Amino acid sequence: LSFRFDELNRNISEEHIIKKMVDEHKSILEILSELVKLNNENKHIFELKDLKKEIVSNNINKMYELLNELIKLDKIHHLKEDIIFQILEEKGIFGMPYVMKLEHKEIHDYLEEIESILNILKMDAKEFISRKERLNLLVKFLLIRFEDNIARENTNIYPLVNKFDDKILSEVEKKFNYIGYYQKKVVI
């Protein structure tokens, strides 16, 4: 997939809303990468012996922290995208915002189900073996959906935002500043 990060960041200041949105996309992908790495470690465990139980427990806790970061980031990011989608719809552009909203709903559903499974596993690691396949599948689906969504937004939505006049961009920036920006948390 082409995320077009360099192309989008070319010729815009560090303070431009597109730059900040692209940075949030990068953070989403970084968190997902860590989540997938931990998930891959877990999927090769077929029985819970003492040492493996500790590894799984540590990985589940780390995955839970990463997931919470992803949920926070996703919430902040989608609030801002809803502002952009509303402006695009006011300009008569309905198709792409509609598709993005459907994808966001699907992403939210994956995040919710993964969180539910991780909550169960935090309480009872013995549930791991019976739930690891579903967890593995959901993490894969989440990665694919996020990557597709980010590529589409970077390719189709953000170039349109870049064409907003200065007055609209200024209003959008004020709303974004009110919502706030994701502050990267180091998860160890």
Side-chain angles (χ1 to χ4, degrees), residues 74-96:
D74 189 56
K75 183 177 180 181
I76 291 169
H77 196 73
H78 286 168
L79 285 171
K80 288 183 264 191
E81 287 178 341
D82 287 343
I83 293 166
I84 290 171
F85 297 158
Q86 181 181 354
I87 293 168
L88 290 173
E89 288 166 352
E90 288 169 3
K91 293 180 173 288
I93 301 168
F94 297 99
M96 194 50 67

Side-chain angles (χ1 to χ4, degrees), residues 75-185:
K75 183 177 180 181
I76 291 169
H77 196 73
H78 286 168
L79 285 171
K80 288 183 264 191
E81 287 178 341
D82 287 343
I83 293 166
I84 290 171
F85 297 158
Q86 181 181 354
I87 293 168
L88 290 173
E89 288 166 352
E90 288 169 3
K91 293 180 173 288
I93 301 168
F94 297 99
M96 194 50 67
Y98 178 76
V99 169
M100 296 290 102
K101 288 175 189 178
L102 291 176
E103 288 181 3
H104 292 168
K105 169 73 172 104
E106 190 176 7
I107 287 168
H108 176 78
D109 291 346
Y110 288 143
L111 289 169
E112 210 170 69
E113 189 173 351
I114 292 169
E115 182 180 36
S116 174
I117 291 172
L118 290 175
N119 275 327
I120 291 168
L121 296 178
K122 282 181 72 165
M123 299 293 197
D124 186 2
K126 290 181 278 186
E127 290 285 326
F128 174 74
I129 298 300
S130 65
R131 297 184 188 265
K132 77 172 188 164
E133 291 304 319
R134 181 68 182 161
L135 181 62
N136 180 47
L137 189 64
L138 287 168
V139 169
K140 284 180 183 177
F141 285 162
L142 182 67
L143 175 67
I144 291 166
R145 178 51 64 216
F146 255 126
E147 286 180 339
D148 287 348
N149 184 266
I150 288 170
R152 242 188 303 288
E153 287 172 357
N154 289 355
T155 302
N156 299 310
I157 300 291
Y158 294 168
L160 294 172
V161 172
N162 219 12
K163 294 178 183 176
F164 288 175
D165 64 43
D166 289 341
K167 182 181 176 193
I168 292 174
L169 279 174
S170 178
E171 289 176 27
V172 169
E173 185 174 17
K174 284 178 191 171
K175 291 177 182 178
F176 281 17
N177 289 339
Y178 179 77
I179 292 168
Y181 293 92
Y182 175 74
Q183 298 296 315
K184 194 177 201 175
K185 177 183 172 190

Side-chain angles (χ1 to χ4, degrees), residues 33-77:
S33 174
E34 287 300 309
L35 193 64
V36 167
K37 185 176 127 193
L38 290 166
N39 187 62
N40 285 340
E41 288 176 20
N42 287 345
K43 76 179 184 185
H44 298 292
I45 297 175
F46 298 101
E47 56 184 278
L48 284 179
K49 303 251 189 229
D50 289 336
L51 178 61
K52 290 181 181 177
K53 188 174 182 180
E54 187 176 324
I55 292 169
V56 167
S57 181
N58 286 337
N59 283 355
I60 295 302
N61 287 329
K62 288 177 189 175
M63 288 177 77
Y64 190 78
E65 287 181 41
L66 288 166
L67 186 75
N68 281 327
E69 281 301 298
L70 195 54
I71 289 170
K72 280 192 290 189
L73 172 52
D74 189 56
K75 183 177 180 181
I76 291 169
H77 196 73

